[in-house]
Amino acid sequence: MGPKIARTIGRGGKHRGMMDLDDMVMQDRPGVKLTEFADLSGYSWFRLAGRARLLAVIEDDHALSNFLIGLPDEMPMEVLGLGSNVIIRDGGIPGVVIKLGRGFRFLERREANRIRVGAGCLDAQVARFAEAESLAGFEFLSTIPGSIGGAAMMNAGAHGGAFHDRLVHLEAVDRHGQFITLRPDQIGASYRQTNIEQGLLVTGALLQGEPADQDEVSRRMARFQEERRQSQPSREKTGGSTFKNPKEAKAWQLIDEAGCRGLLHDGVRVSQKHCNFLINENATRANAIEELGEMVREKVYATSGVSLEWEIRRLGALA
Ligand SMILES: Cc1cc2nc3c(=O)[nH]c(=O)nc-3n(C[C@H](O)[C@H](O)[C@H](O)COP(=O)(O)OP(=O)(O)OC[C@H]3O[C@@H](n4cnc5c(N)ncnc54)[C@H](O)[C@@H]3O)c2cc1C
């Protein structure tokens, strides 16, 4: 594949002290498409975001490894999946944002009822693939609107299932471009979090399924999807659950009791249907989402004494 370099100069202009990035843009990098000052609003479910100094869409794991080998250690780097669990602040990301391309969307049946899936696959694609293979254990993924990379990082879960319950191992590339494999005991997964170190890029996963009757798998998926339609807003500009459920109670209950259901701040609203969701109605600033979240945290603390912990990842600079 020939080099693909797109140069899109947006607002902001060139920045002193970022010569390394300028140099990087000038180099030929097969399998890597670079965009300078990239608008990330299309990469976040909130449809509002700052810019990335450099967006790199990378086609396969060898291109990824080569790219990381050439990336200076001090260069800030973030990776985005489908952006369904992030706020990208208005100040944007001062370094490189990596998006995984087509070569990370593989789905393979393996022996012993296992599947190997690419980090760029949608969770729902993996659920449908397992269904077609008559494998149970992945039905919960059909209701989560992220990618496998995001699910691995966040230990995504629903309907009693969680990503890392199914994990045999993760495939990843580290910040220096080395290919590595991580076993579950090296990941430390717990409720909506892992100890996967910042800077590690998940590229794929080997997952364990259970042989099952295909109709049963299909029925379970349909039931989960119906439950989801009843309980959560769909087709909204949201990041899903804003806060983790604390030990004491459900986050949505605490938010409701604090009188925050429907609360509006600068175009962002606490959902009427599920008050742990924040909805971008007509905001013009990504920071307004985080501001509303902080207002909710303060009110919940004042009424219940519980300090809610953000589940949504907040990336980049405020301004
Ligand atoms: C309507 C709605 C419903 C939701 N319901 C649920 C639910 O039921 N259960 C649940 O757990 N979540 C839910 N979420 C949240 C979200 O879908 C999950 O957390 C999902 O796993 C995030 O995946 P993503 O690809 O969108 O990741 P992103 O939002 O793009 O990123 C999330 C984090 O993962 C990191 N990341 C992404 N890809 C990689 C990679 N390849 N390597 C390393 N790090 C990576 C990012 O840097 C970031 O820190 C919901 C969200 C929405 C909008």
Side-chain angles (χ1 to χ4, degrees):
M1 190 188 301
K4 283 185 178 172
I5 297 185
R7 304 196 68 189
T8 314
I9 310 290
R11 74 174 175 213
K14 297 244 173 185
H15 203 273
R16 272 152 63 91
M18 297 299 275
M19 289 308 291
D20 291 334
L21 278 173
D22 289 340
D23 293 346
M24 287 178 64
V25 173
M26 299 311 291
Q27 288 172 19
D28 281 359
R29 291 175 185 277
V32 180
K33 181 181 174 192
L34 297 177
T35 306
E36 288 189 90
F37 301 104
D39 177 1
L40 295 179
S41 52
Y43 293 91
S44 159
W45 264 60
F46 282 109
R47 293 291 176 264
L48 263 181
R51 288 175 186 264
R53 175 62 181 80
L54 192 63
L55 173 67
V57 181
I58 302 186
E59 284 308 321
D60 59 43
D61 54 1
H62 287 285
L64 176 62
S65 169
N66 288 334
F67 182 79
L68 290 169
I69 287 168
L71 193 67
D73 282 350
E74 62 282 7
M75 186 74 67
M77 187 200 85
E78 295 285 356
V79 52
L80 278 181
L82 288 189
S84 65
N85 213 30
V86 290
I87 295 171
I88 305 168
R89 294 167 170 146
D90 293 311
I93 296 177
V96 177
V97 171
I98 293 180
K99 276 283 296 175
L100 302 180
R102 274 191 293 269
F104 298 94
R105 292 185 205 142
F106 52 85
L107 291 156
E108 299 166 4
R109 170 84 189 222
R110 290 298 176 94
E111 59 187 17
N113 302 311
R114 291 173 172 178
I115 55 176
R116 178 174 174 260
V117 298
C121 293
L122 307 186
D123 295 340
Q125 283 175 325
V126 172
R128 282 196 300 273
F129 178 71
E131 177 192 25
E133 295 289 329
S134 299
L135 289 175
F138 305 100
E139 297 89 334
F140 72 96
L141 285 175
S142 67
T143 63
I144 302 178
S147 67
I148 289 299
M153 203 65 186
M154 305 298 301
N155 194 16
H159 312 283
F163 182 83
H164 284 276
D165 299 347
R166 292 278 140 209
L167 188 73
V168 180
H169 67 235
L170 279 185
E171 298 164 19
V173 177
D174 73 13
R175 187 68 164 74
H176 305 290
Q178 300 301 307
F179 294 95
I180 58 171
T181 301
L182 291 173
R183 298 184 313 270
D185 62 305
Q186 297 171 297
I187 292 168
S190 56
Y191 168 64
R192 300 296 172 269
Q193 66 182 34
T194 60
N195 296 336
I196 298 173
E197 74 184 61
Q198 175 70 17
L200 205 80
L201 275 112
V202 176
T203 55
L206 185 65
L207 302 170
Q208 183 68 56
E210 312 293 337
D213 176 74
Q214 194 176 59
D215 290 341
E216 262 179 42
V217 174
S218 306
R219 273 196 296 277
R220 238 185 329 265
M221 271 170 60
R223 178 161 57 80
F224 289 168
Q225 284 162 17
E226 184 49 33
E227 283 173 18
R228 181 59 62 118
R229 267 189 291 276
Q230 302 282 340
S231 63
Q232 290 185 8
S234 57
R235 298 191 179 80
E236 300 278 11
K237 293 179 244 175
T238 179
S241 292
T242 310
F243 302 107
K244 297 180 187 180
N245 286 321
K247 287 197 182 70
E248 301 85 339
K250 296 277 186 199
W252 73 262
Q253 274 171 332
L254 297 171
I255 295 168
D256 207 10
E257 283 160 18
C260 296
R261 187 182 289 268
L263 189 67
L264 181 67
H265 169 69
D266 216 359
V268 188
R269 191 183 291 280
V270 175
S271 167
Q272 294 280 1
K273 190 167 184 182
H274 188 312
C275 56
N276 196 18
F277 280 38
L278 303 181
I279 312 284
N280 168 18
E281 290 190 342
N282 53 11
T284 53
R285 298 179 305 117
N287 293 357
I289 307 163
E290 187 169 355
E291 288 160 10
L292 179 59
E294 286 300 328
M295 286 163 63
V296 169
R297 285 185 73 235
E298 275 174 33
K299 286 177 187 288
V300 167
Y301 187 73
T303 52
S304 66
V306 176
S307 182
L308 290 176
E309 191 186 336
W310 283 88
E311 177 174 325
I312 290 183
R313 299 276 173 111
R314 292 154 298 150
L315 309 179
L318 281 169

